[in-house]
Each structure stands twice: as structure tokens, then as C-alpha cells.
Amino acid sequence: MKFGYTEDLTSVDFSLPQDHPLTATFLSGKPASLQVYAGCAKWSRKEWLGSVYPKGTPSGQFLHHYSRMFNSIELNSTGYSFKSFKSFEAWRNETPEDFTFSPKFPRQISHFKRLKGSAVEDALRFLELAAGLGTGMGLPILQMPENFTPNGMEHLAPFVEQVAPSRPIAIELRHEGWFSDPGILEETGRLFHEHGVTWVITDTPGRRDAIHQVVSSDRVLIRFQGVNDLAIDLPRIEAWVERLAYWAGQGLHTVYWYAHNEPEDGTPAQCAAFLKAINLRCDLSTRGATLLNES
């Protein structure tokens, strides 16, 4: 994940912001049993041989082993082209029953059509194809480009109104304007809440404003960019665990947490650290807390 990537960490305040006031009104206030889905963004990483995949594993078996280490994946590959129903079905058949995929909507919808024209029809077609995942469907992610400004609300609102009723989705917004203007932030949060859309929270060193802390549904999807240094990342992870435990007490019931790095070498270790911490804090047993080279 290059969004918000920076090599200069000296002036970064890694603390989590306080919740936006909308969060308290959107959550039910009733404690919920937390379900956690956590993983990385892709499985085709040869540098994970020995930690996620047994040494000598051929790349064709990576998904098999990955899905038995972690219980979810943010499926980046679907962001570049439409996949067939059979492709989604094949991925599902290769993974355990409790494994989930959060596939990205193709860039044709988000980056090229920018939610205009036939974007709604394309999005509904994508969801029909992705239904090949069956019960393995997590939260499909619509990731808008960084230059998609709040002027795009005239297209975002009707897109949400027409696509969200078909199934729960998550939307990531990146332009500063969605977060810097309190009125726009509240309007967006209320739009998403009304239609059950999860507003993606992105924790990345160079764009702290993207940690908007509006929990717009009873699900949350967090994209966490680490710095390949657990001395820095572990306190950040522990802060997230505390916040998620608090939200669970307020009615949050599902967490999707995806780790990212530049480069990706240390991503599994971040994910394992998160799972170890949240399993302990919330008395869970989500798999993936121990990598092969730690067992």
C-alpha cells in the first residue's frame, strides 16, 4: 500500500484519534460478541516461505496454506480486472469454511468511470460474479482514487443508494477533503450509516487524517500500514486492539483487519501480532497468531 507511505517517521504522531461523535450514535450501545477476520492483501508472496508457507511450497499451493494460517484476505487482484464466477468459486473451494475474501471492486468502476455512467451496472455485475465465493464473501471494498474529491458526492450518493441494498460493502475515500471539512465528513458518515456501508479506516503514517474514526455500521474494516519495525508497530496494534474492544462493548460485532507494508516482508508478523493481542484481550481464538517460524 503506497497511499500515505513515508520514509520520514520522525514527526509522525502514531496515536489514534478520539472517536468521531457520530460513532456513539451509530453503534447500538449493546455489547456484542466480536468476530475477527484478519490477514494480508495478497497470497502470492515468495518471501513468506518459511513463515506462512512451508519451505519448498510451490506457488500454486500458496492460497491453500495461507488460508489455513489466516482466516481472511483483502483481495487486491480483483481491483485490476473482472474475474469470472468460476474463478471466485475455485478460490472458495480451496479454502476452509470459515475463510473470507474481501474483494476489491475493479478500477474500471472506481478509477476510470469514477462512479459515473454504467458504474452501478458494472458494480452489480461484479457482485454477481463475486457471489462465487459463497459464504466466503467478506466485505467487498470500493477503493476510490486519491483525487476523487467531495465534489464527487453527486455520484457517490446515488451509487451507494443503488448498490448497497444488494449486500454489505465497504468504501475507502482518500482525498483530504472528505476528512478536513466537518460538514462533509458528517454528511458522508450519515449516508453510509443509512445504507449500512462500512467506511474503511486507513491507518497509514503519512495520512493520519484518514483515521477518521467514524464507525458507520456494526462492522469495521481497517487497513493498517506498518513500517516493518515491530518496536513502532506493536504499540499501534495494541492501541487498535483496545479501541476495537471498546467498540465491541458499544455494539461492534465484526472486524476486518488487513495488514500492509512497503515492502511486504513483515506483513504476516504484523498480522500475527494483531491476532495474538486481540485474542488475548477479547478471549478469542482466531488463527494466525503464530507463524511457522515462531512455532
Side-chain angles (χ1 to χ4, degrees):
M1 182 169 69
K2 295 186 181 298
F3 171 65
Y5 174 77
T6 178
E7 292 184 355
D8 182 10
L9 304 177
T10 56
S11 60
V12 177
D13 178 3
F14 282 109
S15 60
L16 290 182
Q18 295 298 311
D19 290 356
H20 189 278
L22 286 175
T23 293
T25 66
F26 290 165
L27 291 175
S28 68
K30 300 176 182 178
S33 297
L34 199 61
Q35 177 67 55
V36 174
Y37 295 100
C40 307
K42 50 186 78 75
W43 65 74
S44 57
R45 308 300 303 190
K46 293 183 178 179
E47 62 266 43
W48 298 347
L49 284 165
S51 60
V52 177
Y53 317 123
K55 291 180 179 179
T57 301
S59 59
Q61 295 180 17
F62 281 2
L63 176 57
H64 172 88
H65 289 283
Y66 174 93
S67 63
R68 285 152 179 82
M69 172 67 69
F70 300 118
N71 73 348
S72 192
I73 191 161
E74 180 191 294
L75 195 54
N76 273 352
S77 63
T78 59
Y80 298 98
S81 64
F82 282 85
K83 309 297 182 185
S84 68
F85 183 93
K86 288 186 175 180
S87 293
F88 285 110
E89 195 173 43
W91 289 332
R92 180 69 187 106
N93 290 338
E94 197 173 343
T95 58
E97 188 63 29
D98 65 345
F99 187 83
T100 66
F101 300 78
S102 291
K104 292 239 187 100
F105 283 86
R107 294 166 65 90
Q108 174 179 324
I109 298 165
S110 55
H111 289 58
F112 304 144
K113 294 187 178 179
R114 300 172 69 86
L115 310 185
K116 295 182 284 188
S118 60
V120 167
E121 290 80 0
D122 288 345
L124 294 174
R125 179 165 67 92
F126 169 73
L127 292 176
E128 288 178 358
L129 295 170
L133 293 171
T135 57
M137 176 78 86
L139 269 181
I141 303 169
L142 178 73
Q143 185 181 82
M144 298 307 298
E146 199 168 347
N147 61 3
F148 182 77
T149 73
N151 290 335
M153 179 62 86
E154 63 177 308
H155 305 296
L156 177 64
F159 180 92
V160 165
E161 291 162 2
Q162 295 174 78
V163 174
S166 61
R167 67 151 295 111
I169 63 172
I171 297 179
E172 181 182 16
L173 301 170
R174 293 183 162 186
H175 189 274
E176 295 92 334
W178 295 102
F179 315 114
S180 61
D181 185 316
I184 289 171
L185 192 147
E186 179 163 349
E187 179 185 3
T188 306
R190 292 191 180 280
L191 170 71
F192 288 175
H193 176 66
E194 180 182 353
H195 297 281
V197 172
T198 297
W199 193 348
V200 174
I201 298 174
T202 308
D203 183 345
T204 181
R207 282 291 307 278
R208 307 306 290 163
D209 57 328
I211 315 176
H212 53 81
Q213 301 303 63
V214 176
V215 180
S216 56
S217 74
D218 53 10
R219 304 171 182 84
V220 70
L221 192 151
I222 296 163
R223 304 182 77 236
F224 178 90
Q225 185 185 73
V227 300
N228 277 318
D229 183 348
L230 281 178
I232 295 174
D233 290 333
L234 193 54
R236 298 171 61 199
I237 288 168
E238 290 172 344
W240 268 117
V241 166
E242 286 302 315
R243 189 65 58 92
L244 293 169
Y246 172 75
W247 287 343
Q250 301 303 306
L252 183 76
H253 71 68
T254 308
V255 174
Y256 294 88
W257 195 92
Y258 296 116
H260 296 258
N261 262 345
E262 286 292 338
E264 293 281 355
D265 306 50
T267 306
Q270 288 171 1
C271 193
F274 167 75
L275 286 168
K276 187 176 296 183
I278 201 161
N279 281 349
L280 181 63
R281 176 65 176 81
C282 298
D283 194 24
L284 304 174
S285 56
T286 310
R287 67 174 180 274
T290 303
L291 300 178
L292 296 178
N293 56 0
E294 295 176 342
S295 57

